Amino acid sequence: MYVERYGTGSRTLLGLHGWGSDRRVFQPLAARVPLEVSFYSADLPGCGASPPPNDWTIEDIVAEIVGTVCQFGPGRVTVVGHCGGAVFGLLAARAAGRLIERVVAIDPFAYLPRYFSLFTGDGFGRRAYDATFANSFGRWMTAKALNAGREEQTDLTASFSATNHEVARRYLHLFAAMNGIEEVRGLRADVDLVYGERTFGAVKKSVAALHAALPHARVFRLEGARHMPLTEATAQLTQIVFAPAQENQTARTETDEAARAIGGMM
């Protein structure tokens, strides 16, 4: 996978973007990387500057992530994933064992919501996808609908103007095929589940389900943020992402409160 490096420190973090995006989603963190950190922002297979995988399977995607982690040399890695990239990060940590010490899952979708399943079908599903994401008017209408009634406007479809839409549809099929909850159950790595206060209901349900499957995970709620905390809550997120492991271990009061809040959604 192609990676872009921010910082030159000895502590290694690997960023995995979400659906329809690429490595540039992590640019807001670039100016905030501590001296002791090297943050590698990756293009998932088939996205951005990365070539497609040998086979479009969950196993091949995970294997490429683990292979990238192995290239960093001695030391353990923290994986920072956003949206669908968060679930791939959790799966990679399960496969990599001790190579990955921590996963920061930012606004994760642990399952494919029904309204996205519509886009996975042929015929009508493909036409619906094209109408929603593959043309500028459809993206504008979708962004308007998602921002309805909100003072702060975030274009959640902006990245799709440069997206390879066939690749995006392939990833939708992968997300539809995975069971993100059961496949990460028993993961031993440290896990931070981070979600925006005003994000999608499916994300909040995913965080609650992941916390139930991974009770050792810490849960962080980002005040005021929706599904793009990297731009909507950069300062809050920076404190979580770049905190040393031992510092995160002490962050219990706030995370327990957030866990109880989302637990009521189950």
Side-chain angles (χ1 to χ4, degrees):
M1 298 191 305
Y2 181 85
V3 297
E4 186 171 354
R5 184 176 183 175
Y6 306 131
T8 58
S10 59
R11 189 155 62 92
T12 302
L13 281 72
L14 173 67
L16 302 176
H17 63 81
W19 179 62
S21 187
D22 60 32
R23 68 186 185 279
R24 293 173 292 180
V25 75
F26 291 104
Q27 283 181 345
L29 299 183
R32 298 171 180 262
V33 175
L35 291 176
E36 72 275 10
V37 168
S38 286
F39 189 98
Y40 295 85
S41 184
D43 284 330
L44 287 170
C47 301
S50 291
N54 293 328
D55 194 12
W56 281 101
T57 64
I58 295 169
E59 292 77 14
D60 267 36
I61 303 295
V62 170
E64 291 211 27
I65 296 170
V66 174
T68 299
V69 169
C70 291
Q71 293 176 17
F72 294 138
R76 299 173 71 187
V77 174
T78 291
V79 173
V80 182
H82 174 244
C83 187
V87 179
F88 276 118
L90 291 167
L91 294 175
R94 183 73 183 269
R98 294 178 60 84
L99 288 176
I100 296 176
E101 67 175 349
R102 176 181 171 227
V103 179
V104 182
I106 304 169
D107 238 54
F109 277 102
Y111 64 95
L112 188 67
R114 185 174 300 175
Y115 46 84
F116 277 114
S117 300
L118 167 71
F119 302 126
T120 62
D122 293 325
F124 175 77
R126 182 176 290 276
R127 291 193 297 273
Y129 174 93
D130 289 343
T132 305
F133 297 108
N135 71 81
S136 57
F137 180 73
R139 290 193 295 272
W140 180 80
M141 289 293 292
T142 301
K144 291 285 287 183
L146 292 172
N147 280 315
R150 291 167 172 162
E151 294 182 4
E152 297 181 7
Q153 304 284 299
T154 301
D155 189 353
L156 295 175
T157 65
S159 64
F160 284 88
S161 63
T163 292
N164 181 320
H165 294 288
E166 188 57 38
V167 168
R169 277 177 48 85
R170 285 184 178 273
Y171 272 100
L172 275 184
H173 282 278
L174 292 180
F175 291 135
M178 71 170 59
N179 185 344
I181 306 299
E182 292 305 317
E183 290 175 8
V184 303
R185 193 180 296 275
L187 176 64
R188 299 251 181 124
D190 288 343
V191 176
D192 293 332
L193 302 171
V194 186
Y195 72 101
E197 177 190 18
R198 299 164 60 198
T199 191
F200 299 112
V203 169
K204 293 180 179 179
K205 290 180 180 178
S206 293
V207 171
L210 286 168
H211 188 249
L214 302 169
H216 69 287
R218 295 166 292 272
V219 182
F220 295 84
R221 181 181 58 242
L222 300 177
E223 302 302 322
R226 291 183 287 161
H227 186 54
M228 295 299 293
L230 286 151
T231 54
E232 297 166 338
T234 310
Q236 293 180 66
L237 191 58
T238 297
Q239 295 179 17
I240 299 167
V241 169
F242 295 127
Q246 62 270 24
E247 184 174 321
N248 267 314
Q249 291 288 354
T250 66
R252 299 303 306 176
T253 303
E254 177 184 355
T255 62
D256 286 348
E257 179 185 345
R260 285 194 296 271
I262 62 169
M265 299 179 181
M266 290 297 290

